[in-house]
């Protein structure tokens, strides 16, 4: 028979081509059979002896069954990661070996000796993924091993929706705290926004814009879950300039004498609207500088207070007020008409 090579754990059959009139014995590895075939499964390289006899004479020959050891299989040790993280499995490749990982879930290369596994977990509990590595050497012998990756649930980071605010506004940013979580807001030195406590899930912000244009600031929220996993989210806050309402100085005027309300020098800003209340005596309630004309038929001074609400194109608003005091009107009485004689002296007017 030919000299075969087998992988450890496999078997092979030794076959003798018979010659008529001869009987055969195959022996080796604690096995002996009279016949022309013997199936063997040695655990180490073994020599087998084939003896042929015609009853008087005999001859022998030997055949070696070479046992090839399986390759070392190195799937790595079990590891625990957070959702979305990556971990390298296996070990450095050995020349002449081929590799096959199953399943291929999350692997960047299921035929590499040491692929990278990236796994996610959207449940609220830990999950596991077990991989089986099959390593095959150049002689075709294989070995398998397994490794388990435990994936902790992802940390939930929610900085809340983007916001648009007017200068001077305050409010809450973020979302309600989750049990066991810790929070850290990153506010790199930047003008325009201040948080009252960077360690709260929902801190209070105050925004300021002293310019004439809108700008935005980005806040980054970092969280650590009870299982030690971390997450990050960010929110953008757009800060619009504040509206400026200037109703003008208070006035004292006479009845029927018009006065112009509103700012004395501020130019009209495109997109800005004006609303004056009440409309009493005003030439218009929607312009920046309406004219107020008020009567006073009483004998004492009267006052009228006007309120101005200014709203910018960004939706920011401000309010101011002005008071107009109307004094009593002067009383003029020249007296009654009279008829007199020439050179007659009379008194005009009233006491």
């Amino acid at each position: 028979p030919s000299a075969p090579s087998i992988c450890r754990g496999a078997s092979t059959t030794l076959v003798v081509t018979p010659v008529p009139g001869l009987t055969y014995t195959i022996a080796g590895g604690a096995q002996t059979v009279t016949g022309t075939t013997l199936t063997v499964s040695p655990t180490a390289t073994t020599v087998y002896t084939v003896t042929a006899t015609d009853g008087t004479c005999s001859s022998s020959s030997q055949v070696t069954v070479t046992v090839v050891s399986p390759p070392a299989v190195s799937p790595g040790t079990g590891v625990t990661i957070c959702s979305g993280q990556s971990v390298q499995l296996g070990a450095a490749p050995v020349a002449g070996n081929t590799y096959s990982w199953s399943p291929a879930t999350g692997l960047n290369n299921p035929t590499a000796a040491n692929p990278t596994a990236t796994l996610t977990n959207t449940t609220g509990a830990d999950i596991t993924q077990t991989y089986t590595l099959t390593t095959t050497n150049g002689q075709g012998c294989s070995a398998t091993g397994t490794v388990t990756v435990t994936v902790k649930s992802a940390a939930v980071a929610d900085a809340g929706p983007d916001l648009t605010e007017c200068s001077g506004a305050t409010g809450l940013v973020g979302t309600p705290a989750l049990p066991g979580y810790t929070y850290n807001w990153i506010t790199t030195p930047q003008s325009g926004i201040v948080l009252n406590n960077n360690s709260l899930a929902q801190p209070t912000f105050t925004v300021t814009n002293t310019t004439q244009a809108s700008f935005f600031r980005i806040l980054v929220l970092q969280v650590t879950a009870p299982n030690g996993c971390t997450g990050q989210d960010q929110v953008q806050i757009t800060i619009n300039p504040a509206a400026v309402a200037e109703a003008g100085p208070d006035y004292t005027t006479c009845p029927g004498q018009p006065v112009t309300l509103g700012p004395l020098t501020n130019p009209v800003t495109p997109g800005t609207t004006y609303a004056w209340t009440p409309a009493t005596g005003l030439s218009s309630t929607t312009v920046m500088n309406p004219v107020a004309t008020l009567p006073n038929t009483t004998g004492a001074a009267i006052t009228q207070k006007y309120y101005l609400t200014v709203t910018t194109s960004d939706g920011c608003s401000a309010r101011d007020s002005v008071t107009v005091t109307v004094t009593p009107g002067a009383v003029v009485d020249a007296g009654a008409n009279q008829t007199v004689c020439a050179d007659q002296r009379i008194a005009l007017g009233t006491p």
Side-chain angles (χ1 to χ4, degrees):
S2 59
S5 293
I6 63 171
C7 299
R8 182 181 300 159
S11 61
T12 187
T13 299
L14 303 178
V15 179
V16 177
T17 302
V19 175
L22 298 180
T23 59
Y24 298 88
T25 300
I26 306 173
Q31 289 180 277
T32 300
V33 65
T34 298
T36 57
T37 61
L38 175 63
T39 299
V40 298
S41 181
T43 57
T45 298
T46 302
V47 176
Y48 293 87
T49 301
V50 179
T51 303
T53 181
D54 60 5
T56 303
C57 299
S58 63
S59 65
S60 299
S61 64
Q62 292 184 325
V63 62
T64 299
V65 177
T66 303
V67 177
V68 180
S69 298
V73 60
S74 302
T77 57
V79 66
T80 298
I81 62 173
C82 293
S83 178
Q85 289 184 335
S86 299
V87 62
Q88 192 170 50
L89 307 179
V94 174
N97 286 355
T98 61
Y99 304 88
S100 177
W101 293 84
S102 178
T105 305
L107 299 182
N108 67 328
N109 186 350
T111 62
N114 49 358
T116 297
T118 304
L119 297 168
T120 57
N121 180 359
T122 58
T123 72
D126 293 353
I127 62 174
T128 59
Q129 177 65 65
T130 298
Y131 293 99
T132 298
L133 169 62
T134 300
T135 302
T136 304
N137 60 21
Q139 292 76 34
C141 297
S142 301
T144 61
T146 62
V147 62
T148 298
V149 179
T150 300
V151 186
K152 295 190 285 188
S153 57
V156 178
D158 187 356
D162 291 341
L163 302 173
T164 298
E165 301 291 343
C166 298
S167 180
T170 62
L172 294 178
V173 66
T175 53
L178 297 175
Y181 273 67
T182 60
Y183 298 85
N184 179 41
W185 289 90
I186 299 176
T187 53
T188 55
Q190 51 183 338
S191 62
I193 188 164
V194 176
L195 298 182
N196 70 326
N197 190 332
N198 290 44
S199 299
L200 295 178
Q202 282 186 296
T204 298
F205 65 81
T206 302
V207 294
T208 305
N209 183 352
T210 59
T211 73
Q212 299 302 310
S214 299
F215 58 82
F216 66 86
R217 296 291 183 256
I218 292 178
L219 302 180
V220 177
L221 171 63
Q222 293 179 331
V223 304
T224 301
N227 62 8
C229 294
T230 60
Q232 181 172 295
D233 192 23
Q234 67 181 34
V235 60
Q236 176 177 299
I237 300 180
T238 300
I239 308 171
N240 294 319
V244 177
E246 186 179 340
D250 292 340
Y251 289 96
T252 298
T253 187
C254 296
Q257 181 177 337
V259 293
T260 300
L261 307 182
L264 302 180
T265 59
N266 287 353
V268 175
T269 302
T272 298
T273 62
Y274 303 87
W276 291 87
T277 57
T280 305
L282 295 183
S283 60
S284 173
T285 59
T286 59
V287 298
M288 182 173 68
N289 295 104
V291 174
T293 306
L294 296 168
N296 184 355
T297 57
T298 72
I302 62 173
T303 60
Q304 176 65 61
K305 193 168 190 176
Y306 294 101
Y307 295 92
L308 168 63
T309 300
V310 176
T311 304
T312 68
S313 58
D314 297 318
C316 298
S317 62
R319 197 172 193 231
D320 193 21
S321 65
V322 59
T323 298
V324 177
T325 300
V326 185
T327 60
V331 179
V332 179
D333 189 356
N337 294 334
Q338 300 183 58
T339 302
V340 298
C341 297
D343 297 326
Q344 180 181 353
R345 301 179 64 184
I346 62 173
L348 303 178
T350 55

